[in-house]
Amino acid sequence: MEKKIAVLGTGANGSCVAADLTNAGLDVVLIDQWPAHVEAMRANGLHVTLRQGEIHAKARAYHLCDLASMHQAFDVVFLVTKAYDTRWHAELIKPYLRPDGFLIGLQNGMTTDIIADVVGPSRTLGCVPELSSYCFVPGQIKRNTAPDRTWFALGSLHPSTDGRVEEVAAILRHAGKVEITPHILAAKYMKLVLNSMTLGTIAMTGGELADKQPEGMQELMMQLGSESLKIGEALGHPIVPIFGLTSAEIEGSNNMLMKLVDKVNHDIGPGRGANTTLQDHMKGRLSEIDLINGFVVEEGRRRGIPTPANETLVEVTRRIYTGELNPNPSNLGIALDLLKSKMHPPSP
């Protein structure tokens, strides 16, 4: 029997995945909380623009409020919302998930345990997505990573799902490459390490320094990544390759952190536009920094491990959100000064 699939949260990345699955002939519905986007998809379908061309897909799109009257039970639901919206979306979709169905978060941050807490570990798989896109106009998406450069890791959290990961992998292969891993939480954390280095740093400068290396930028990124790795070690997460890299490539690199940065930059390619955090700044909405760099800070405090660089980035990002700062290159200097004061506080 054909699986019934829902994509819950069809912003930029959710729309990209939904378009690919729809065009593959799968039974897919799209559910979103942005009314104008839903109406645009209903009227004109999804339009995804890539450097290689365009993808058009007819969309069976629904508002969140339509869910109560859809009378459907889903075999697979891909949750593609902001990390901070995970729990309430998981609770929302829980009654519509089959007893043997899966809810899979295609998200940044360590959201897998949140999903498992809501729907149970037997209905949860972990996933790491490498997919870059953005959406500012309802129904129209700009996708930076083409399907052949899009990558997903999938993994089981619980013995009850062993042997079933391939069911979901077969679906996701219509949107990109899929790697099944026994270390899915470690892979999720490695993505968090990369995000802790890149998302907030580039976003606070307005994206203008994305392809440049001004004095202090690389050093800040390296300190962010090193702190995040230290917290990952304390949490028991081993270093594992992601984005299709091999263990040999990671172990053979004299700078594993920059290897990750270079790999994702290669896959996204030139003219990659605003990353997800910069898009949040541009739209005046809350970013995921508290669940990325803020996660590192919180876990560090619990264990007595200093994380001054991550603390600094969280503080600068919050000042942008409140309107005290605007995203521009001068924020790099503000961050470096703030970091210096945290690492070398004045004598009393």
Side-chain angles (χ1 to χ4, degrees):
M1 185 175 67
E2 186 177 21
K3 292 187 182 296
K4 292 191 177 296
I5 303 165
V7 179
L8 179 57
T10 54
N13 281 359
S15 290
C16 290
V17 171
D20 287 340
L21 302 189
T22 298
N23 284 344
L26 303 184
D27 185 348
V28 184
V29 300
L30 294 73
I31 307 168
D32 199 77
Q33 61 181 326
W34 183 11
H37 186 47
V38 172
E39 292 303 322
M41 290 189 290
R42 286 177 169 178
N44 302 307
L46 268 171
H47 299 265
V48 182
T49 303
L50 306 90
R51 284 185 295 275
Q52 298 83 355
E54 292 195 2
I55 296 172
H56 301 276
K58 293 182 179 180
R60 293 162 57 202
Y62 295 86
H63 299 284
L64 281 183
C65 60
D66 295 326
L67 185 60
S69 57
M70 285 174 64
H71 302 290
Q72 286 207 38
F74 298 105
D75 298 290
V76 177
V77 178
F78 294 110
L79 181 59
V80 203
T81 63
K82 290 291 182 183
Y84 49 72
D85 283 333
T86 299
R87 184 171 292 277
W88 76 265
H89 273 93
E91 291 284 3
L92 177 73
I93 201 66
K94 181 179 178 179
Y96 308 97
L97 187 65
R98 290 188 184 278
D100 61 347
F102 285 124
L103 177 59
I104 301 117
L106 275 60
Q107 302 165 292
N108 292 322
M110 304 301 287
T111 61
T112 306
D113 286 341
I114 299 173
I115 295 171
D117 185 55
V118 175
V119 302
S122 65
R123 294 200 289 175
T124 307
L125 296 179
C127 181
V128 183
E130 183 196 12
L131 172 57
S132 170
S133 60
Y134 56 89
C135 174
F136 288 90
V137 178
Q140 300 183 31
I141 314 297
K142 174 65 171 68
R143 181 170 177 173
N144 299 314
T145 45
D148 65 342
R149 292 192 177 189
T150 299
W151 177 90
F152 303 95
L154 276 174
S156 176
L157 300 178
H158 192 266
S160 63
T161 63
D162 289 348
R164 295 193 60 202
V165 181
E166 178 58 33
E167 296 175 27
V168 177
I171 295 170
L172 272 181
R173 287 195 185 100
H174 294 290
K177 300 174 183 177
V178 179
E179 179 179 334
I180 296 175
T181 174
H183 306 293
I184 190 60
L185 293 181
K188 288 282 290 179
Y189 194 83
M190 288 300 295
K191 174 72 181 298
L192 184 144
V193 170
L194 174 73
N195 286 344
S196 76
M197 298 167 60
T198 57
L199 293 184
T201 50
I202 293 171
M204 74 177 177
T205 70
E208 296 184 36
L209 302 184
D211 298 310
K212 304 174 185 177
Q213 288 295 333
E215 184 177 357
M217 175 63 96
Q218 183 166 323
E219 291 81 358
L220 174 60
M221 291 172 64
M222 291 302 100
Q223 184 166 343
L224 288 161
S226 296
E227 290 176 4
S228 300
L229 281 176
K230 187 176 293 186
I231 297 303
E233 181 181 9
L235 291 169
H237 296 310
I239 294 174
V240 297
I242 56 174
F243 302 152
L245 292 168
T246 65
S247 296
E249 288 174 307
I250 290 292
E251 294 165 2
S253 172
N254 59 3
N255 191 331
M256 182 267 292
L257 292 172
M258 283 308 300
K259 184 78 173 180
L260 290 175
V261 174
D262 291 343
K263 179 62 166 67
V264 75
N265 285 343
H266 170 268
D267 290 345
I268 293 174
R272 51 187 173 271
N275 69 31
T276 181
T277 303
L278 181 53
Q279 291 176 54
D280 292 332
H281 292 338
M282 296 168 71
K283 295 175 181 179
R285 68 186 183 190
L286 188 67
S287 77
E288 295 174 311
I289 288 297
D290 285 342
L291 285 90
I292 298 172
N293 302 87
F295 179 89
V296 173
V297 172
E298 181 179 346
E299 294 298 332
R301 286 175 179 164
R302 289 177 178 172
R303 292 161 176 77
I305 302 174
T307 56
N310 282 275
E311 288 180 15
T312 295
L313 194 58
V314 168
E315 184 171 332
V316 172
T317 302
R318 286 176 178 168
R319 290 168 67 181
I320 293 172
Y321 177 63
T322 61
E324 182 183 345
L325 297 174
N326 293 314
N328 65 65
S330 66
N331 289 332
L332 175 59
I334 293 173
L336 293 174
D337 288 343
L338 183 58
L339 175 58
K340 183 178 179 181
S341 70
K342 288 181 181 293
M343 296 183 66
H344 306 288
S347 301

